Amino acid sequence: MPAPEPTNSHFADQVVIVTGAGSGIGRATAAAFATAGAHVLGVGRRPDALAGSAAQHPAIESFPIDVIQDDAPEAIVQAAFDRWARIDVLVNNAGVFAAMPPAQATATGSLA
């Protein structure tokens, strides 16, 4: 399926990182930015799911990594800089659900 032509958008040629881009809101967000003319780095844990997102538009590039890894933030930023030499927008959409009282949560989402 050919990619839609970008509209006259202020996102044209912007560099956008979307975490959680493998499905749902993240996938839709990555596609919307790409359609608006942005270069999108789609980030997520599942390479196959990210490949599905990237297949929606040629301006979406996948970067599989788990954002809770200690080195993930630096690796994601470096990947964007290696490709496009800048970052204009970050959509921090990655999420996980763990039902627990906030006082018991740790940085990785596990019980303290």
Side-chain angles (χ1 to χ4, degrees):
M1 166 169 124
E5 289 297 317
T7 61
N8 187 9
S9 167
H10 65 275
F11 291 113
D13 294 320
Q14 296 289 294
V15 175
V16 179
I17 296 172
V18 179
T19 66
S23 63
I25 293 170
R27 178 177 279 184
T29 301
F33 274 111
T35 299
H39 306 283
V40 178
L41 186 66
V43 178
R45 293 179 293 128
R46 299 171 298 144
D48 292 343
L50 287 176
S53 297
Q56 291 189 327
H57 198 286
I60 302 172
E61 293 194 31
S62 63
F63 188 71
I65 193 167
D66 189 337
V67 298
I68 68 168
Q69 293 177 1
D70 289 341
D71 63 342
E74 292 84 7
I76 294 164
V77 168
Q78 190 62 54
F81 271 89
D82 289 348
R83 288 169 174 83
W84 302 290
R86 69 177 203 273
I87 299 166
D88 300 300
V89 178
L90 168 64
V91 179
N92 194 15
N93 174 69
V96 64
F97 176 76
M100 68 183 76
Q104 292 180 354
T106 67
T108 61
S110 60
L111 288 174

